[in-house]
Amino acid sequence: MSRRWIWTAVPIALVAFAEPAQAQGQGEDELSRIPSEAPPAPPATPSGRSGLGKLQRTVYLESATEAELLRSSLDVPSPSPAPTTIEERFFADLVLHWIPTRDLTFHLSARGGFRVGEGIPFPTHENIRADFRELYASWKPFEGAYLDAGRINLKSGVAIGFNPTDFFKTRAVVEPLSIDPAVLREDRLGTVMLRGQFVWRHGSVSAAFAPRVASPPPLYTNTTLPALDPMFGRTNGHHRFLLKGNVDLIADFSPEALFYEEDGAVRLGFNVAQSLGKKVVAYAEWAGGWQSGIGQEALSFGTLTGSFSSAVADNLATSSATHFQQDASVGLSYATESKMTFWLEYHLHQAGFSRADWRFWFDQGTGPSGQLLAPILWFERGYAQEQQVPMSKHSLFLRADWTDAFIFNLELTAFANVDLYDGSTLAQVTASYAVTNLWTIALLSSANIGSRSSEFGSLPSVFSALFTIRYYF
Amino acid sequence: MSRANALRIPTGLVIAALSAGAWGQTPAEIVARADEVRNPNAAFRFLSTLTEYVSGKPQAQNVLAIFSKKDPRTGQFRNLVRFVEPPRDAGKAVLLDGRAFWFYDPASKASVRISPQQRLIGQAAVGDVLTVTMSIDYTATLVSTESVQDANKKPRTSWHLDLKAANELSTYARIEYWVEQGSFQPVKAKFYSDSGRLLKILFYRSFETWLGGLRPTEAVILDAVDSSRVTTLKSSEHRLQQIPEAWFQREYLPRLEAE
């Protein structure tokens, strides 16, 4: 061993075994913030916990008080009954999962309660509402394969404001508390169907058949909702078939393709979502098929269900010919380090109203036959709402969400739906605060902004506010 | 720059390098050994109880079931997180797989894609905090050897490592990491954003034997942006778990059960 090596090794050993330096920058305040080592013990695994055990349940009670400010007059008069200006709803919401064996699961999702309000007679059956959203069984014959049967809420699509590939959305939303698309999906009925699904390491494929089990009922209004009725006519008024699948083409790129048939009419669909860097997600959704314009479709539906006579509808009839019509939703989301997320979406609904269609709608409603035609004109708009499609061909959707805004557990959400023809806007702001793990309160306010002859400015409601209190059991 | 200046190496780095060398470990090996202490190699499932403290008082508690499995291609853990408590979140699920992040909400029956930044907003981010494979996601250099106080204010002779994101998928741009010499137990970490902002300070504590090793069962996260906020993550009910590859498909999320 050379002397030079020894002179080198000694300082190494000294450094290695010497008392190390104190960490720089480790403030006492860091350590003083640490809670004592006696955190609440994690709960055991009994039944009754929301997400564990053989019987899982989520139950809450909610009180929702809504006040609405109506316009004093409208260019196209709103049909009677006039919208309710104040309404109170009190309901229980129940979701149950029962897992008797590893391969068999039963699901129940329902909501029921009372409502009173201006224009809703009391006491009548109109004061009671119950919706059976889902009731189905799932069986796993082998790993990755699933068979589901019953009333199922089958949702497709990756966009936020409008989902062209969500083919089972039509007529499924019942009495929504908010027009926020995210909330609309919570209040929707499932469809009676048989569904098979296979999920493997590189993708999945699903097939669903929903039979016609009842005739399609007319459009519902706030005062014609049945009290205790599964309303199968809304969800199972036609034979419907869906085949969809997604495959990982490369890494995390996994687009989904859809084939949908309803009473012989075919629609094709496609959707994809992709991260662009750390903060941005880009997504696109497209569907296309042969159909007539939304106005003509509504008129055909209205005469079919006896909502009005074909003689009156003929005054508004346009071409009943079907064309290949496309729907699209293309958007971006952007998340910040401050717990804010923004979405921007463009919506295309080719079967929707063009600028000329809007002019025709207002001309007819304000013309000499306006009083006669107004109910049918508003029926067209109610039809689009039940179909959950935009009324206009081109619209823009913006949304912002801020988690832990100002204080812990306060969430602020705002969205705007903008008609790109006339610039009119439906805007809503929501503040939701989780007071405890069990109590949540929320305040929503929405406004229809625009001129009297615009899409949103022509609506009866100017402004509405909703206050909710929710308690989980 | 003069030749003399070019050859002038910071004394601290020399000491640190010599110190690591004395233990026969490179910085990368130290981080890899600490990864092995934190998590087993096999696929596993555990419950994580999050307690959120605001100004020292517990404000909220969440329970998550987390399923973790290493991706054989990348060596990184992929996580599936299912919310168990509180009731308003029960049934929500998150898929965290490399750069594919999906969030499923049972109320809307919708799965939406989220960005790497968005996954840090919710509680599901803890899945990543607990199982991030630092030796793969980050490139380590040794800063110094220090005596650092752990969460119980006990001094631990530790390597102080500086970790830089090794790829664009890394959640944090930079991490300062303290690993105890000899035991390779992680003691503390500081997480920084792309902009260099200190986001959180994490202390590991409550080392217990589970799934074949003495590992931390609790992490204490100090919010560096809001000094009133602290989160503790207590893990329990660890068990080895068969996790088929199909579970990492977004279409599987609605079927993910916590058990």
Side-chain angles (χ1 to χ4, degrees), chain A residues 205-252:
Chain A
V205 61
S206 302
F209 173 68
R212 173 190 164 105
V213 297
S215 299
L219 294 187
Y220 289 100
T221 68
N222 199 35
T223 54
T224 61
L225 279 169
L228 294 165
D229 186 332
M231 292 190 279
F232 288 132
R234 291 175 80 119
T235 57
N236 289 82
H238 307 273
H239 291 303
R240 301 201 274 181
F241 174 74
L242 173 70
L243 178 66
K244 67 172 185 172
N246 68 288
V247 178
D248 298 339
L249 295 180
I250 49 166
D252 60 332

Short mmCIF file of all heavy atoms in Angstrom, two decimals, chain A residues 205-252:
data_model
loop_
_atom_site.label_atom_id
_atom_site.label_comp_id
_atom_site.label_asym_id
_atom_site.label_seq_id
_atom_site.Cartn_x
_atom_site.Cartn_y
_atom_site.Cartn_z
N VAL A 205 -64.18 -4.12 -24.94
CA VAL A 205 -65.27 -4.10 -25.91
C VAL A 205 -66.57 -4.36 -25.15
O VAL A 205 -66.59 -5.15 -24.21
CB VAL A 205 -65.04 -5.14 -27.04
CG1 VAL A 205 -64.97 -6.55 -26.49
CG2 VAL A 205 -66.09 -5.02 -28.12
N SER A 206 -67.62 -3.63 -25.52
CA SER A 206 -68.93 -3.78 -24.86
C SER A 206 -70.03 -3.85 -25.91
O SER A 206 -69.93 -3.20 -26.96
CB SER A 206 -69.24 -2.56 -23.98
OG SER A 206 -68.26 -2.37 -23.02
N ALA A 207 -71.05 -4.63 -25.61
CA ALA A 207 -72.24 -4.67 -26.46
C ALA A 207 -73.45 -4.58 -25.55
O ALA A 207 -73.49 -5.23 -24.49
CB ALA A 207 -72.28 -5.96 -27.27
N ALA A 208 -74.42 -3.76 -25.94
CA ALA A 208 -75.61 -3.59 -25.11
C ALA A 208 -76.85 -3.60 -26.00
O ALA A 208 -76.86 -2.98 -27.07
CB ALA A 208 -75.54 -2.28 -24.33
N PHE A 209 -77.86 -4.32 -25.57
CA PHE A 209 -79.13 -4.31 -26.28
C PHE A 209 -80.22 -3.85 -25.32
O PHE A 209 -80.39 -4.41 -24.23
CB PHE A 209 -79.47 -5.69 -26.83
CG PHE A 209 -80.85 -5.75 -27.41
CD1 PHE A 209 -81.15 -5.05 -28.58
CD2 PHE A 209 -81.86 -6.47 -26.79
CE1 PHE A 209 -82.44 -5.07 -29.11
CE2 PHE A 209 -83.15 -6.50 -27.31
CZ PHE A 209 -83.43 -5.79 -28.48
N ALA A 210 -80.94 -2.81 -25.74
CA ALA A 210 -82.03 -2.27 -24.91
C ALA A 210 -83.33 -2.43 -25.69
O ALA A 210 -83.50 -1.80 -26.75
CB ALA A 210 -81.78 -0.80 -24.60
N PRO A 211 -84.25 -3.28 -25.23
CA PRO A 211 -85.48 -3.50 -25.99
C PRO A 211 -86.50 -2.39 -25.75
O PRO A 211 -86.44 -1.68 -24.75
CB PRO A 211 -85.99 -4.82 -25.41
CG PRO A 211 -85.49 -4.82 -23.99
CD PRO A 211 -84.17 -4.09 -24.01
N ARG A 212 -87.42 -2.28 -26.68
CA ARG A 212 -88.55 -1.37 -26.48
C ARG A 212 -89.52 -2.05 -25.52
O ARG A 212 -89.95 -3.18 -25.77
CB ARG A 212 -89.22 -1.12 -27.83
CG ARG A 212 -90.50 -0.32 -27.76
CD ARG A 212 -91.21 -0.35 -29.12
NE ARG A 212 -92.59 0.09 -28.98
CZ ARG A 212 -93.03 1.28 -29.37
NH1 ARG A 212 -92.21 2.13 -29.94
NH2 ARG A 212 -94.29 1.60 -29.23
N VAL A 213 -89.84 -1.40 -24.44
CA VAL A 213 -90.77 -2.01 -23.48
C VAL A 213 -91.99 -1.13 -23.23
O VAL A 213 -92.92 -1.53 -22.55
CB VAL A 213 -90.07 -2.31 -22.12
CG1 VAL A 213 -88.96 -3.32 -22.29
CG2 VAL A 213 -89.54 -1.04 -21.48
N ALA A 214 -91.98 0.10 -23.76
CA ALA A 214 -93.15 0.98 -23.59
C ALA A 214 -93.15 2.01 -24.71
O ALA A 214 -92.12 2.25 -25.35
CB ALA A 214 -93.09 1.68 -22.23
N SER A 215 -94.33 2.60 -24.93
CA SER A 215 -94.42 3.64 -25.96
C SER A 215 -93.80 4.93 -25.44
O SER A 215 -93.92 5.25 -24.25
CB SER A 215 -95.88 3.90 -26.32
OG SER A 215 -96.45 2.73 -26.83
N PRO A 216 -93.15 5.68 -26.32
CA PRO A 216 -92.58 6.96 -25.88
C PRO A 216 -93.69 7.90 -25.42
O PRO A 216 -94.63 8.14 -26.18
CB PRO A 216 -91.88 7.51 -27.12
CG PRO A 216 -91.78 6.38 -28.06
CD PRO A 216 -92.88 5.43 -27.74
N PRO A 217 -93.62 8.42 -24.21
CA PRO A 217 -94.65 9.36 -23.73
C PRO A 217 -94.37 10.76 -24.28
O PRO A 217 -93.26 11.04 -24.75
CB PRO A 217 -94.46 9.32 -22.22
CG PRO A 217 -93.01 9.01 -22.04
CD PRO A 217 -92.59 8.16 -23.20
N PRO A 218 -95.36 11.66 -24.19
CA PRO A 218 -95.10 13.04 -24.60
C PRO A 218 -94.05 13.68 -23.68
O PRO A 218 -93.66 13.10 -22.67
CB PRO A 218 -96.46 13.73 -24.39
CG PRO A 218 -97.44 12.64 -24.23
CD PRO A 218 -96.71 11.45 -23.72
N LEU A 219 -93.60 14.88 -24.06
CA LEU A 219 -92.64 15.59 -23.22
C LEU A 219 -93.27 15.84 -21.85
O LEU A 219 -94.46 16.10 -21.74
CB LEU A 219 -92.27 16.95 -23.83
CG LEU A 219 -91.50 16.97 -25.14
CD1 LEU A 219 -91.08 18.41 -25.46
CD2 LEU A 219 -90.29 16.07 -25.10
N TYR A 220 -92.44 15.74 -20.83
CA TYR A 220 -92.92 16.03 -19.48
C TYR A 220 -92.72 17.50 -19.16
O TYR A 220 -91.77 18.13 -19.62
CB TYR A 220 -92.15 15.20 -18.46
CG TYR A 220 -92.48 13.73 -18.50
CD1 TYR A 220 -91.64 12.83 -19.15
CD2 TYR A 220 -93.63 13.25 -17.90
CE1 TYR A 220 -91.94 11.48 -19.20
CE2 TYR A 220 -93.95 11.90 -17.95
CZ TYR A 220 -93.10 11.02 -18.60
OH TYR A 220 -93.41 9.69 -18.64
N THR A 221 -93.62 18.03 -18.38
CA THR A 221 -93.42 19.36 -17.83
C THR A 221 -93.30 19.22 -16.32
O THR A 221 -93.49 18.12 -15.77
CB THR A 221 -94.59 20.31 -18.15
OG1 THR A 221 -95.75 19.85 -17.43
CG2 THR A 221 -94.89 20.33 -19.64
N ASN A 222 -93.05 20.32 -15.66
CA ASN A 222 -92.86 20.28 -14.21
C ASN A 222 -94.09 19.78 -13.47
O ASN A 222 -94.01 19.28 -12.35
CB ASN A 222 -92.48 21.69 -13.71
CG ASN A 222 -91.82 21.63 -12.35
OD1 ASN A 222 -91.08 20.69 -12.06
ND2 ASN A 222 -92.09 22.62 -11.52
N THR A 223 -95.25 19.92 -14.12
CA THR A 223 -96.48 19.52 -13.42
C THR A 223 -97.10 18.25 -14.01
O THR A 223 -98.24 17.90 -13.68
CB THR A 223 -97.52 20.65 -13.47
OG1 THR A 223 -97.71 21.04 -14.83
CG2 THR A 223 -97.06 21.84 -12.64
N THR A 224 -96.40 17.58 -14.89
CA THR A 224 -96.95 16.32 -15.43
C THR A 224 -96.03 15.14 -15.15
O THR A 224 -96.18 14.09 -15.75
CB THR A 224 -97.18 16.42 -16.95
OG1 THR A 224 -95.91 16.68 -17.59
CG2 THR A 224 -98.16 17.51 -17.29
N LEU A 225 -95.08 15.32 -14.24
CA LEU A 225 -94.20 14.21 -13.89
C LEU A 225 -94.98 13.21 -13.05
O LEU A 225 -95.64 13.59 -12.08
CB LEU A 225 -93.00 14.72 -13.10
CG LEU A 225 -91.85 15.33 -13.91
CD1 LEU A 225 -90.87 16.03 -12.97
CD2 LEU A 225 -91.12 14.27 -14.72
N PRO A 226 -94.91 11.93 -13.40
CA PRO A 226 -95.64 10.93 -12.60
C PRO A 226 -94.97 10.76 -11.24
O PRO A 226 -93.76 10.94 -11.10
CB PRO A 226 -95.52 9.66 -13.43
CG PRO A 226 -94.34 9.85 -14.30
CD PRO A 226 -94.21 11.32 -14.53
N ALA A 227 -95.79 10.41 -10.23
CA ALA A 227 -95.25 10.28 -8.88
C ALA A 227 -94.44 9.00 -8.73
O ALA A 227 -93.27 9.02 -8.35
CB ALA A 227 -96.39 10.31 -7.86
N LEU A 228 -95.08 7.87 -9.02
CA LEU A 228 -94.40 6.58 -8.88
C LEU A 228 -94.52 5.84 -10.20
O LEU A 228 -95.52 5.19 -10.46
CB LEU A 228 -95.04 5.77 -7.75
CG LEU A 228 -94.90 6.34 -6.35
CD1 LEU A 228 -95.85 5.66 -5.38
CD2 LEU A 228 -93.46 6.18 -5.87
N ASP A 229 -93.55 5.97 -11.02
CA ASP A 229 -93.61 5.39 -12.35
C ASP A 229 -92.17 5.22 -12.83
O ASP A 229 -91.39 6.18 -12.79
CB ASP A 229 -94.38 6.34 -13.29
CG ASP A 229 -94.61 5.73 -14.66
OD1 ASP A 229 -93.80 4.88 -15.08
OD2 ASP A 229 -95.58 6.12 -15.33
N PRO A 230 -91.79 4.04 -13.27
CA PRO A 230 -90.40 3.86 -13.73
C PRO A 230 -90.11 4.63 -15.02
O PRO A 230 -88.95 4.77 -15.41
CB PRO A 230 -90.28 2.35 -13.94
CG PRO A 230 -91.68 1.86 -14.10
CD PRO A 230 -92.55 2.78 -13.28
N MET A 231 -91.14 5.11 -15.69
CA MET A 231 -90.99 5.89 -16.92
C MET A 231 -90.12 5.16 -17.95
O MET A 231 -89.17 5.73 -18.51
CB MET A 231 -90.43 7.29 -16.61
CG MET A 231 -91.41 8.14 -15.83
SD MET A 231 -90.92 9.89 -15.67
CE MET A 231 -89.75 9.81 -14.34
N PHE A 232 -90.45 3.89 -18.17
CA PHE A 232 -89.69 3.12 -19.16
C PHE A 232 -89.84 3.70 -20.56
O PHE A 232 -88.99 3.51 -21.42
CB PHE A 232 -90.16 1.65 -19.16
CG PHE A 232 -89.70 0.90 -17.94
CD1 PHE A 232 -90.59 0.12 -17.21
CD2 PHE A 232 -88.38 0.95 -17.52
CE1 PHE A 232 -90.17 -0.58 -16.09
CE2 PHE A 232 -87.95 0.26 -16.39
CZ PHE A 232 -88.85 -0.50 -15.67
N GLY A 233 -90.96 4.40 -20.80
CA GLY A 233 -91.16 4.99 -22.12
C GLY A 233 -90.08 6.01 -22.46
O GLY A 233 -89.78 6.24 -23.64
N ARG A 234 -89.52 6.63 -21.46
CA ARG A 234 -88.45 7.62 -21.73
C ARG A 234 -87.17 6.93 -22.17
O ARG A 234 -86.45 7.43 -23.03
CB ARG A 234 -88.15 8.42 -20.45
CG ARG A 234 -89.24 9.35 -20.02
CD ARG A 234 -88.86 9.98 -18.69
NE ARG A 234 -87.93 11.08 -18.87
CZ ARG A 234 -88.17 12.34 -18.53
NH1 ARG A 234 -89.32 12.66 -17.99
NH2 ARG A 234 -87.28 13.27 -18.72
N THR A 235 -86.87 5.80 -21.53
CA THR A 235 -85.57 5.17 -21.77
C THR A 235 -85.66 3.97 -22.69
O THR A 235 -84.65 3.57 -23.29
CB THR A 235 -84.96 4.71 -20.44
OG1 THR A 235 -85.88 3.81 -19.79
CG2 THR A 235 -84.71 5.90 -19.53
N ASN A 236 -86.83 3.36 -22.77
CA ASN A 236 -86.98 2.15 -23.57
C ASN A 236 -88.16 2.27 -24.52
O ASN A 236 -88.98 1.37 -24.63
CB ASN A 236 -87.14 0.92 -22.67
CG ASN A 236 -85.85 0.56 -21.96
OD1 ASN A 236 -85.50 1.14 -20.93
ND2 ASN A 236 -85.11 -0.37 -22.53
N GLY A 237 -88.22 3.40 -25.20
CA GLY A 237 -89.29 3.62 -26.18
C GLY A 237 -88.93 3.07 -27.55
O GLY A 237 -89.75 3.11 -28.48
N HIS A 238 -87.71 2.58 -27.71
CA HIS A 238 -87.24 2.06 -29.00
C HIS A 238 -86.32 0.87 -28.75
O HIS A 238 -85.73 0.74 -27.67
CB HIS A 238 -86.45 3.13 -29.76
CG HIS A 238 -87.17 4.43 -29.92
ND1 HIS A 238 -88.03 4.69 -30.95
CD2 HIS A 238 -87.15 5.55 -29.15
CE1 HIS A 238 -88.52 5.91 -30.82
NE2 HIS A 238 -88.01 6.47 -29.72
N HIS A 239 -86.18 0.02 -29.77
CA HIS A 239 -85.13 -1.00 -29.72
C HIS A 239 -83.80 -0.30 -29.97
O HIS A 239 -83.66 0.45 -30.95
CB HIS A 239 -85.35 -2.06 -30.81
CG HIS A 239 -86.55 -2.92 -30.57
ND1 HIS A 239 -86.73 -3.66 -29.43
CD2 HIS A 239 -87.65 -3.16 -31.34
CE1 HIS A 239 -87.87 -4.32 -29.48
NE2 HIS A 239 -88.47 -4.02 -30.64
N ARG A 240 -82.83 -0.56 -29.11
CA ARG A 240 -81.54 0.12 -29.28
C ARG A 240 -80.39 -0.88 -29.09
O ARG A 240 -80.48 -1.78 -28.24
CB ARG A 240 -81.39 1.26 -28.28
CG ARG A 240 -82.51 2.31 -28.43
CD ARG A 240 -82.11 3.63 -27.84
NE ARG A 240 -82.40 3.72 -26.43
CZ ARG A 240 -82.15 4.81 -25.70
NH1 ARG A 240 -81.59 5.87 -26.26
NH2 ARG A 240 -82.45 4.85 -24.41
N PHE A 241 -79.35 -0.68 -29.85
CA PHE A 241 -78.19 -1.56 -29.76
C PHE A 241 -76.92 -0.72 -29.82
O PHE A 241 -76.80 0.20 -30.64
CB PHE A 241 -78.20 -2.57 -30.93
CG PHE A 241 -76.96 -3.41 -30.99
CD1 PHE A 241 -76.75 -4.43 -30.06
CD2 PHE A 241 -75.98 -3.18 -31.95
CE1 PHE A 241 -75.59 -5.20 -30.11
CE2 PHE A 241 -74.83 -3.95 -32.00
CZ PHE A 241 -74.63 -4.96 -31.08
N LEU A 242 -75.97 -1.02 -28.94
CA LEU A 242 -74.70 -0.30 -28.93
C LEU A 242 -73.54 -1.29 -28.89
O LEU A 242 -73.55 -2.24 -28.10
CB LEU A 242 -74.61 0.62 -27.69
CG LEU A 242 -73.26 1.31 -27.47
CD1 LEU A 242 -73.01 2.38 -28.53
CD2 LEU A 242 -73.19 1.95 -26.07
N LEU A 243 -72.58 -1.06 -29.76
CA LEU A 243 -71.33 -1.82 -29.72
C LEU A 243 -70.20 -0.81 -29.65
O LEU A 243 -70.14 0.12 -30.47
CB LEU A 243 -71.20 -2.66 -31.00
CG LEU A 243 -69.91 -3.49 -31.14
CD1 LEU A 243 -69.84 -4.58 -30.08
CD2 LEU A 243 -69.82 -4.11 -32.54
N LYS A 244 -69.34 -0.94 -28.67
CA LYS A 244 -68.25 0.02 -28.57
C LYS A 244 -66.99 -0.66 -28.05
O LYS A 244 -67.05 -1.68 -27.36
CB LYS A 244 -68.62 1.21 -27.67
CG LYS A 244 -68.80 0.88 -26.20
CD LYS A 244 -68.97 2.18 -25.40
CE LYS A 244 -69.04 1.89 -23.90
NZ LYS A 244 -69.01 3.12 -23.11
N GLY A 245 -65.87 -0.08 -28.40
CA GLY A 245 -64.61 -0.66 -27.95
C GLY A 245 -63.47 0.32 -28.05
O GLY A 245 -63.54 1.30 -28.80
N ASN A 246 -62.47 0.11 -27.23
CA ASN A 246 -61.26 0.93 -27.30
C ASN A 246 -60.04 0.02 -27.23
O ASN A 246 -60.07 -1.04 -26.60
CB ASN A 246 -61.22 1.96 -26.16
CG ASN A 246 -61.04 1.32 -24.81
OD1 ASN A 246 -61.96 0.68 -24.30
ND2 ASN A 246 -59.87 1.47 -24.22
N VAL A 247 -58.99 0.41 -27.94
CA VAL A 247 -57.75 -0.37 -27.97
C VAL A 247 -56.58 0.59 -27.77
O VAL A 247 -56.58 1.69 -28.32
CB VAL A 247 -57.59 -1.09 -29.33
CG1 VAL A 247 -56.28 -1.86 -29.38
CG2 VAL A 247 -58.75 -2.04 -29.57
N ASP A 248 -55.59 0.16 -26.97
CA ASP A 248 -54.38 0.97 -26.79
C ASP A 248 -53.57 0.88 -28.08
O ASP A 248 -52.88 -0.13 -28.31
CB ASP A 248 -53.54 0.44 -25.62
CG ASP A 248 -54.30 0.52 -24.31
OD1 ASP A 248 -55.25 1.31 -24.23
OD2 ASP A 248 -53.93 -0.21 -23.38
N LEU A 249 -53.65 1.90 -28.91
CA LEU A 249 -52.91 1.86 -30.17
C LEU A 249 -51.43 2.05 -29.92
O LEU A 249 -50.59 1.31 -30.42
CB LEU A 249 -53.45 2.93 -31.12
CG LEU A 249 -54.89 2.73 -31.58
CD1 LEU A 249 -55.32 3.84 -32.52
CD2 LEU A 249 -55.06 1.37 -32.26
N ILE A 250 -51.10 3.10 -29.15
CA ILE A 250 -49.72 3.30 -28.72
C ILE A 250 -49.76 3.83 -27.29
O ILE A 250 -50.60 4.65 -26.95
CB ILE A 250 -48.95 4.31 -29.61
CG1 ILE A 250 -49.78 5.58 -29.79
CG2 ILE A 250 -48.56 3.72 -30.94
CD1 ILE A 250 -49.03 6.74 -30.35
N ALA A 251 -48.87 3.34 -26.47
CA ALA A 251 -48.72 3.79 -25.09
C ALA A 251 -50.07 4.11 -24.46
O ALA A 251 -50.87 3.23 -24.22
CB ALA A 251 -47.78 4.99 -25.02
N ASP A 252 -50.34 5.38 -24.21
CA ASP A 252 -51.57 5.74 -23.52
C ASP A 252 -52.61 6.33 -24.47
O ASP A 252 -53.52 7.01 -24.05
CB ASP A 252 -51.27 6.76 -22.41
CG ASP A 252 -50.66 8.01 -22.97
OD1 ASP A 252 -50.01 7.92 -24.02
OD2 ASP A 252 -50.82 9.08 -22.36
#
